[in-house]
């Protein structure tokens, strides 16, 4: 089954063709980062307008790269939520219009299920059951995964998501959007030990997270330095390193706890923050000690992309799941509401 996947939940227009027999045939992405940078974050109205502009040319490009024509496509998967409603509606309308014109089924896919399954596009994919750490701009969740659609939420953030904390911390130090890659780059030049930030909620049992206090610690430290006349690049890098270390260690402690609680030894990390090299190294070291394994996607499939939507959609479309032609998207959508296969 050849599935066209469309992703438009935020600031990336992603398109891909995934075939159940041959795997991923082609994928194309247009990132709106340059468009939103001037505003220090995503402007929803601009995001929607840009998705409208990019979608059809990207579909053409993906078909050409895969050496396919429209009539080869068996079904369409699109991101139906969670995300920005205006942006989601672009992908949903486009998917349903093409599905109607081509007389094929369409299916709305959960964005976080897409992220969660993205490591399965790689060689040596994870086997069920496993624990998943979902860390993106909008989510920080630990989930027990027993199969596609069988998700048990173990813990999540009470306030900011990990990616959001990276973005806000970077912004207050005058760094560009998105902050995650900027902080991780700056952290490479940082001096370890000059600043130490708290590891939130690690001193009590449970699998919940909280990152807003950590962001405030970084802000206070930056302001104290500036008040003392030090707003140097080195200080920025030292704060970036201390912040990243605090996030990484906190996530590692909670992942270890989740593995212990479930008795599992496989950990999947997914979402934009899973591209972070320090996080990967820390989790690999922890899983090495436990004789377990950590799985993640290539960096371009950690952040938003069409391939993960085509893949997740294909799994569901193959067992006959599809929708009528109504166009409905959801800004909020708990993953536990999904059905199994
Ligand atoms: O999954 P994603 O592309 O979009 C959402 O679904 O939210 O995640 C974007 C988030 C942003 O907050 C970005 O700063 C963060 O992922 N991110 C990173 C890195 N690359 C992207 N955070 C830390 N280190 C990175 N290398
Ligand atoms: Zn995402």
């Amino acid at each position: 089954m050849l599935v066209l996947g469309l992703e438009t939940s935020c600031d990336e227009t992603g398109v891909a063709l995934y075939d159940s027999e041959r795997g991923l045939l082609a994928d194309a992405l247009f990132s709106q980062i340059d468009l939103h940078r001037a505003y220090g974050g995503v402007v929803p109205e601009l995001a929607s307008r840009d998705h409208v502009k990019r979608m059809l040319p990207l579909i053409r490009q993906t078909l050409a790269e895969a050496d396919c024509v429209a009539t080869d496509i068996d079904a369409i998967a699109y991101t139906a939520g969670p995300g920005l409603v205006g942006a989601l509606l672009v992908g949903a309308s486009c998917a349903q219009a093409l599905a109607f014109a081509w007389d094929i089924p369409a299916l709305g896919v959960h964005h976080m299920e897409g992220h969660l399954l993205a490591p399965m596009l790689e060689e040596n994919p994870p086997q069920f059951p496993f624990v998943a750490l979902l860390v993106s701009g909008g989510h920080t969740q630990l989930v027990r995964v027993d199969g596609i659609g069988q998700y048990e939420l173990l813990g999540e953030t009470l306030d900011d998501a990990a990616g959001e904390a990276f973005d806000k911390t970077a912004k207050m130090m005058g760094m560009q959007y998105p902050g995650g890659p900027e902080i991780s780059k700056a952290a490479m030049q940082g001096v370890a030990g000059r600043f130490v930030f708290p590891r939130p909620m690690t001193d009590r049992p449970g699998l919940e997270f909280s990152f807003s206090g950590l962001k405030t610690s970084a802000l206070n430290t930056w302001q104290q330095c500036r008040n003392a006349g030090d707003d140097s690049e080195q200080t920025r890098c030292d704060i970036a390193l201390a912040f990243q270390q605090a996030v990484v260690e906190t996530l590692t402690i909670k992942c270890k706890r989740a593995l212990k609680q479930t008795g599992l030894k496989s950990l999947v990390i997914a979402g934009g923050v899973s591209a972070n090299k320090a996080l990967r190294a820390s989790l690999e070291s922890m899983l090495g000690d436990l004789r377990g394994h950590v799985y993640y996607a290539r960096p371009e499939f950690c952040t938003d992309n069409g391939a993960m939507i085509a893949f997740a959609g294909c799994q569901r479309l193959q067992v006959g799941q599809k929708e009528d032609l109504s166009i409905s998207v959801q800004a909020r959508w708990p993953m536990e509401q999904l059905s199994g296969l």
Side-chain angles (χ1 to χ4, degrees):
M1 172 181 265
L2 182 63
V3 176
L4 174 68
L6 308 179
E7 155 63 35
T8 63
S9 68
C10 190
D11 59 348
E12 254 110 25
T13 319
V15 175
L17 279 165
Y18 180 84
D19 184 86
S20 51
E21 305 297 316
R22 292 176 292 165
L24 185 66
L25 301 187
D27 71 291
L29 186 87
F30 185 86
S31 170
Q32 305 175 354
I33 284 175
D34 290 341
L35 178 69
H36 300 291
R37 211 163 240 166
Y39 305 93
V42 178
V43 183
E45 175 64 23
L46 295 184
S48 314
R49 291 185 204 179
D50 206 61
H51 287 308
V52 172
K53 254 200 260 175
R54 308 289 167 191
M55 186 53 88
L56 292 177
L58 277 179
I59 293 175
R60 272 215 185 92
Q61 181 186 329
T62 310
L63 278 167
E65 262 171 42
D67 204 11
C68 290
V69 290
T71 46
D72 295 333
I73 299 172
D74 298 306
I76 305 181
Y78 64 93
T79 306
L84 304 170
V85 167
L88 290 166
L89 281 170
V90 177
S93 319
C94 186
Q96 292 287 16
L98 291 176
F100 176 69
W102 295 340
D103 195 21
I104 55 175
L107 183 67
V109 170
H110 193 291
H111 180 76
M112 296 313 292
E113 178 170 77
H115 275 304
L116 170 60
L117 301 179
M120 294 188 168
L121 286 161
E122 306 298 340
E123 272 176 37
N124 183 25
Q127 306 290 321
F128 302 116
F130 53 75
V131 170
L133 172 70
L134 302 177
V135 268
S136 68
H139 291 78
T140 301
Q141 296 183 326
L142 274 164
V143 183
R144 182 194 161 106
V145 181
D146 285 290
I148 291 174
Q150 293 175 262
Y151 309 129
E152 182 195 344
L153 183 66
L154 302 172
E156 65 183 333
T157 184
L158 303 176
D159 41 57
D160 290 351
E164 190 180 359
F166 268 98
D167 294 339
K168 288 179 175 169
T169 301
K171 190 174 181 179
M172 85 195 180
M173 290 200 288
M175 296 156 111
Q176 284 191 322
Y177 176 83
E182 294 294 312
I183 294 253
S184 84
K185 222 187 297 162
M188 287 196 275
Q189 313 299 326
V191 175
R194 179 170 167 208
F195 303 110
V196 178
F197 297 136
R199 276 58 176 151
M201 301 186 73
T202 54
D203 58 352
R204 66 194 93 161
L207 296 171
E208 256 70 52
F209 303 90
S210 165
F211 290 110
S212 80
L214 179 55
K215 172 196 71 193
T216 309
S217 299
L219 173 63
N220 291 342
T221 304
W222 174 239
Q223 277 173 345
Q224 277 162 17
C225 291
R226 286 181 64 171
N227 291 343
D230 174 9
D231 61 353
S232 64
E233 196 49 43
Q234 187 58 52
T235 292
R236 237 191 228 116
C237 293
D238 295 346
I239 293 175
L241 177 61
F243 171 82
Q244 179 174 271
Q245 283 177 329
V247 174
V248 166
E249 198 179 312
T250 303
L251 292 173
T252 305
I253 291 169
K254 298 283 167 141
C255 284
K256 190 173 176 181
R257 244 181 232 177
L259 291 166
K260 192 165 173 218
Q261 185 178 310
T262 54
L264 299 174
K265 294 216 161 150
S266 294
L267 177 70
V268 164
I269 55 171
V273 184
S274 69
N276 187 280
K277 287 199 182 111
L279 177 63
R280 292 176 171 201
S282 169
L283 292 172
E284 256 156 12
S285 151
M286 184 265 284
L287 264 302
D289 294 344
L290 294 180
R291 294 178 194 284
H293 198 75
V294 57
Y295 299 86
Y296 42 77
R298 69 195 84 163
E300 62 268 35
F301 291 168
C302 288
T303 45
D304 293 347
N305 64 87
M308 67 183 194
I309 301 305
F311 177 78
C314 184
Q315 310 311 308
R316 291 184 170 278
L317 285 154
Q318 266 187 303
V319 296
Q321 294 186 14
K322 60 179 172 177
E323 300 171 340
D324 57 24
L325 284 173
S326 64
I327 293 170
S328 86
V329 298
Q330 299 186 61
R332 291 177 188 280
W333 185 5
M335 212 167 57
E336 308 90 89
Q337 287 179 359
L338 294 177
S339 62
L341 293 193

